[in-house]
Amino acid sequence: MNQAAFRILGMDCAEEIAALKAELSPMDGVGELSFDLLSAKMTVEFDPASTNLEALAAAVKRTGMTAKPWTEKGADEETAFWERRGRSVMTTASGAATAAGFVIHAAIGGFPAAFGWGETDGPMPIAPVILYSLAIITGGWFVFPKAAASARRLRPDMNLLMTVAVIGAVVLGDWFEAATVAFLFALSLLLESWSVGRARRAIGTLMALAPPKARIICPHDGDEEMVDVDRVAVGTTVIVRPGEKFPLDGQILKGDTTVNEAPITGESVPVEKAIGANVYAGTINGSGAIEFESTKEAEETTLSRIIHMVRDAQSKRSPTEQWVDKFARVYTPAVMAMAALIAVVPPLLLGEPWDEWFYQALVLLVIACPCALVISTPVSIVAALASAARQGVLVKGGLYLELPSRLKALALDKTGTLTIGKSQVRKVVPLNGHTEEELIEIAASLEARSEHPLAQAIVQHAREKGLQFEAAEDYQALKGRGARARRNGREFWIGSHRLLSESVHETPELRAQFEELASVGNSVVVLGNEEHVCGLIALADAVRPEAHETIHALHHAGIRKVVMLTGDNEPTARAIAAESGIDDVRAELLPEDKLTAIEELVAEHGAVAMVGDGVNDAPAMARASLGIAMGAVGTDVALETADIALMKDDLSRLPWLVKHSRRTLGIIHQNIVFSLVVKGAFVVATLLGIATLWAAIAADMGVSLLVVMNALRLLGERPDSAEGGADIMVGEACGCCGDDEKCSA
């Protein structure tokens, strides 16, 4: 099977996708079809022995749309004028012709005649008829071909509904209403196309984050050279000056700087970077000129993967989207059947005038058009996905966007999720005449040559306190116990309780002190010499600063139970839980035990999320209703395994995600209810015989416009400042779009 990609002109909503599937799926040799509504892209798997690209393009044309070979330069600015502006031109022409026809008709016969009120003498003047005909043709230019394809397939859609209504109005001699219907429906489709384009551009801003060229050091002569990023090989040295964006992912080789990572993580505070630190395409260099080694090709950078996943998210339709699609498939034929009954039953059974009830049937066709209902849900989902991506929350589809709103319980891994994943000095207990500063200084000297995480934490603590120390001499590691070394000619030892028990200085009082520190979740290090024990240093993995507030916010958002699942020991887990406000603790768990715990939570609460690092917690995340990866920036495994990836290590994104999901679902429900209520009211008015055609199309267009505007409010959403995270408002200058531009995030 071969694969071909096309850019489909005219594919702006789910109905067009359904039409393409109905036309192409039955063809010989056609396999899987996939669609990217945001990019107007269709991908087809086909057998070249049975069909070819020309046949596929011809099948697309039969739906009233046009297929062009896909290129990455398929953006609006690269297309021909007619493809970009054709719909706007024809809609404007339709509106102008309708207005001109009305004015001329009113000038000749008066306003009542122009509106079609009362009895008129003789046929309509030829000039208004010509102008109204022009309005109908231009207004239906992009509608009539799709309506014909719909009729041929015997699958009525909104294009067919509108075409029947327009033709019916012409047959009745209501030229003004026919032209008005054609113009207003064209205007509603233009607004629909604009709304999808707005969401499409919101995703497109992600693509514009990374610069198209990189300044590299030529390996042959050492000169600087500007090249396209897709020509930069892995391992190339790239130079980034202050204020410039990083063109690729890489690792710093030379220089120190601060980096604004807001475009990727949503974090507005710049991050300090030194030699060995990772940098990501699309982020912004601060004050220092640096050199870095590229570690990924342009198509494999974290930013490229995010863009790819956001695009793929459109294929994972939410339950509400699926329901709306199923409803519309049943609803449209039912409306046409109901309109037929209204047209014939009153005249046949009650002796009512045929033209009056035929007109009311046309009104029903217009107002019952499911345009607003169908378009509002995908626009809401796309806007919510784009808004989340801007805030460093990568949601892999509408399916996972709705789930947070239904969560009742949430489980968190401890290390690296609830805690920062790095030990810190929590308490220093000097003994036998030593001071805290002296104890830390000696310990740092002994640990300066060690790679152990606890040793590095002690050294870091000494540096933060501004203590001066040099590495001790004659360093000797004691496997599984600690180390010995000489400092200023004197021998010291440092290590675990096991090393203490081997010395002659252990006393019951000292042992009790050690156990008291260890009982609250600390790892305790003992420092001593040949004369006595100098003191105890307690270290622990620090709880994230935002943890307690986040747990409180989750409870406030309606999460009934927050559980910690960890493989760490019970005392440590209990201490962390007490500090952060966790409801329940399950400690000393193996990966399979975490899986069992998630199954129990799902059985008890129904919808459960598992938050972890996306690697060790993969089985539990897969079993949970929703898997959320913490700190996924630059982590391929986390990006692949989780349903939602928090690009930054920020727990405050969790309550924001729950609220964002509920707000999205609320807007979708508002749109659905509003659409159905307005349509229901007009159905009643139609049955009473008091509705008019132009009022019906105006109401339908108004509903479409309002639900789209309501949905697009999600694009401007930002995290509540009380919950932390990025605080970048629409239009605020943040630097992620260039030196002088405003950030739309």
Side-chain angles (χ1 to χ4, degrees):
M1 297 287 280
N2 288 359
Q3 189 177 80
F6 297 92
R7 186 162 57 89
I8 307 299
L9 305 181
M11 186 176 78
D12 293 316
C13 78
E15 281 223 344
E16 274 102 17
I17 292 177
L20 289 166
K21 286 181 178 178
E23 191 68 42
L24 272 71
S25 294
M27 291 178 62
D28 291 336
V30 173
E32 185 178 351
L33 294 168
S34 59
F35 298 88
D36 178 359
L37 182 63
L38 281 186
S39 301
K41 180 180 180 182
M42 178 182 73
T43 305
V44 186
E45 287 188 357
F46 68 99
D47 182 357
S50 304
T51 188
N52 54 41
L53 298 179
E54 290 74 17
L56 295 173
V60 172
K61 189 152 187 78
R62 289 196 294 271
T63 67
M65 291 173 271
T66 304
K68 290 196 170 187
W70 174 262
T71 63
E72 288 300 329
K73 292 184 178 180
D76 287 346
E77 61 270 15
E78 298 295 333
T79 58
F81 172 82
W82 183 252
E83 295 171 12
R84 289 185 288 118
R85 301 284 183 241
R87 193 182 293 275
S88 299
V89 170
M90 298 306 274
T91 302
T92 303
S94 178
T98 300
F102 177 82
V103 170
I104 292 175
H105 194 187
I108 295 173
F111 280 101
F115 276 114
W117 297 337
E119 298 294 330
T120 56
D121 297 327
M124 181 180 292
I126 190 64
V129 170
I130 293 174
L131 288 168
Y132 286 146
S133 299
L134 178 62
I136 292 168
I137 293 170
T138 53
W141 189 265
F142 294 96
V143 176
F144 297 152
K146 295 179 181 179
S150 173
R152 188 177 63 253
R153 293 192 308 271
L154 299 179
R155 292 190 61 176
D157 61 11
M158 63 184 73
N159 298 293
L160 184 58
L161 292 183
M162 290 300 104
T163 300
V164 171
V166 169
I167 293 173
V170 171
V171 170
L172 292 175
D174 295 322
W175 286 93
F176 169 66
E177 297 201 46
T180 303
V181 168
F183 163 64
L184 291 177
F185 186 61
L187 182 59
S188 69
L189 293 182
L190 178 63
L191 293 172
E192 175 184 309
S193 177
W194 170 82
S195 67
V196 173
R198 168 87 185 272
R200 184 178 297 158
R201 289 189 293 274
I203 299 298
T205 56
L206 290 173
M207 300 178 64
L209 289 176
K213 291 185 178 292
R215 183 181 290 102
I216 69 168
I217 296 180
C218 214
H220 305 298
D221 52 21
D223 291 339
E224 294 182 14
E225 181 182 358
M226 293 293 292
V227 299
D228 294 337
V229 291
D230 54 8
R231 291 175 49 201
V232 179
V234 172
T236 302
T237 300
V238 183
I239 300 173
V240 181
R241 294 172 178 170
E244 293 181 343
K245 297 179 184 178
F246 288 89
L248 296 159
D249 287 6
Q251 192 172 59
I252 294 180
L253 299 174
K254 186 185 297 184
D256 297 327
T257 188
T258 57
V259 177
N260 179 0
E261 294 186 342
I264 302 294
T265 66
E267 171 56 63
S268 58
V269 178
V271 180
E272 293 185 3
K273 301 282 186 176
I275 294 174
N278 293 322
V279 291
Y280 306 103
T283 58
I284 306 149
N285 188 24
S287 56
I290 65 141
E291 295 179 12
F292 74 92
E293 180 184 44
S294 64
T295 55
K296 292 180 182 178
E297 295 180 352
E299 290 297 317
E300 295 298 322
T301 65
T302 299
L303 178 61
S304 296
R305 293 171 67 84
I306 291 172
I307 294 167
H308 178 71
M309 288 178 181
V310 172
R311 283 177 164 177
D312 284 352
Q314 303 313 302
S315 63
K316 299 173 182 175
R317 302 173 67 77
S318 72
T320 305
E321 283 183 286
Q322 296 172 24
W323 177 86
V324 168
D325 286 348
K326 291 176 182 177
F327 178 80
R329 283 199 294 270
V330 175
Y331 171 83
T332 304
V335 164
M336 294 201 75
M338 185 177 178
L341 291 175
I342 288 177
V344 300
V345 170
L348 288 178
L349 298 184
L350 304 176
E352 296 286 338
W354 282 93
D355 59 344
E356 180 180 327
W357 285 98
F358 182 67
Y359 179 86
Q360 293 301 324
L362 297 181
V363 173
L364 180 64
L365 288 181
V366 171
I367 193 57
C369 172
C371 181
L373 188 66
V374 171
I375 189 59
S376 65
T377 304
V379 170
S380 300
I381 294 294
V382 168
L385 290 173
S387 177
R390 289 171 171 177
Q391 305 300 342
V393 180
L394 179 59
V395 185
K396 297 184 181 177
L399 173 64
Y400 308 117
L401 186 62
E402 287 192 15
L403 272 171
S405 68
R406 299 197 295 269
L407 290 177
K408 301 301 179 187
L410 188 139
L412 300 105
D413 177 42
K414 180 182 77 70
T415 306
T417 300
L418 197 60
T419 66
I420 62 175
K422 188 167 66 174
S423 294
Q424 294 181 340
V425 174
R426 303 292 293 275
K427 189 171 184 179
V428 179
V429 182
L431 301 170
N432 297 310
H434 293 278
T435 65
E436 285 191 21
E437 289 76 12
E438 185 182 6
L439 189 66
I440 290 297
E441 187 177 322
I442 296 171
S445 295
L446 270 63
E447 299 285 31
R449 300 186 187 277
S450 174
E451 296 297 324
H452 193 280
L454 295 181
Q456 293 179 349
I458 291 173
V459 172
Q460 179 65 25
H461 184 71
R463 288 174 177 163
E464 289 174 355
K465 284 190 164 293
L467 300 177
Q468 301 297 320
F469 60 91
E470 294 181 359
E473 302 169 346
D474 300 332
Y475 179 85
Q476 179 185 2
L478 304 174
K479 188 175 181 180
R481 294 173 293 165
R484 293 182 185 275
R486 298 185 67 84
R487 183 176 183 273
N488 297 332
R490 192 172 188 181
E491 186 176 273
F492 288 86
W493 52 267
I494 188 169
S496 65
H497 182 267
R498 184 178 173 185
L499 190 58
L500 172 63
S501 63
E502 292 177 359
S503 75
V504 297
H505 304 301
E506 184 180 26
T507 64
E509 294 79 13
L510 187 58
R511 183 183 183 90
Q513 276 186 296
F514 187 101
E515 291 177 349
E516 181 182 357
L517 290 171
S519 67
V520 292
N522 292 312
S523 298
V524 184
V525 172
V526 187
L527 176 66
N529 56 32
E530 69 278 4
E531 294 180 359
H532 54 246
V533 172
C534 304
L536 307 176
I537 303 174
L539 302 97
D541 187 2
V543 177
R544 294 187 183 277
E546 73 276 14
H548 190 276
E549 185 178 351
T550 296
I551 304 304
H552 175 74
L554 285 169
H555 286 139
H556 185 71
I559 305 298
R560 298 173 186 166
K561 194 171 188 179
V562 181
V563 184
M564 180 201 296
L565 304 180
T566 179
D568 209 340
N569 62 73
E570 188 82 22
T572 299
R574 293 287 175 191
I576 296 295
E579 186 175 347
S580 56
I582 294 287
D583 299 318
D584 189 15
V585 179
R586 305 191 188 186
E588 301 176 12
L589 301 180
L590 297 173
E592 53 267 30
D593 298 327
K594 289 187 178 183
L595 183 61
T596 302
I598 289 294
E599 289 175 342
E600 292 173 358
L601 288 170
V602 169
E604 180 182 356
H605 298 282
V608 177
M610 174 67 194
V611 186
D613 61 10
V615 183
N616 299 328
D617 303 306
M621 291 168 66
R623 178 61 188 90
S625 312
L626 187 68
I628 303 175
M630 277 283 291
V633 60
T635 309
D636 293 343
V637 176
L639 284 173
E640 294 292 346
T641 57
D643 304 319
I644 296 176
L646 307 183
M647 303 309 292
K648 180 179 174 290
D649 290 323
D650 186 0
L651 285 173
S652 69
R653 290 293 196 269
L654 294 173
W656 179 85
L657 176 63
V658 173
K659 292 180 181 179
H660 181 62
S661 174
R662 289 179 179 167
R663 185 172 185 233
T664 301
L665 208 56
I667 284 179
I668 291 173
H669 290 163
Q670 290 168 17
N671 289 342
I672 291 173
V673 170
F674 182 61
S675 300
L676 293 178
V677 166
V678 172
K679 292 181 187 303
F682 261 84
V683 168
V684 173
T686 301
L687 295 175
L688 295 176
I690 59 175
T692 62
L693 201 58
W694 66 268
I697 188 63
D700 182 70
M701 186 198 68
V703 171
S704 298
L705 180 60
L706 286 174
V707 298
V708 166
M709 292 295 126
N710 193 34
L712 291 178
R713 287 194 299 126
L714 290 165
L715 281 176
E717 189 177 25
R718 62 190 182 95
D720 191 354
S721 59
E723 292 172 9
D727 196 22
I728 303 172
M729 297 183 65
V730 175
E732 202 171 315
C734 72
C736 68
C737 300
D739 293 338
D740 300 317
E741 297 183 27
K742 299 291 185 180
C743 177
S744 61

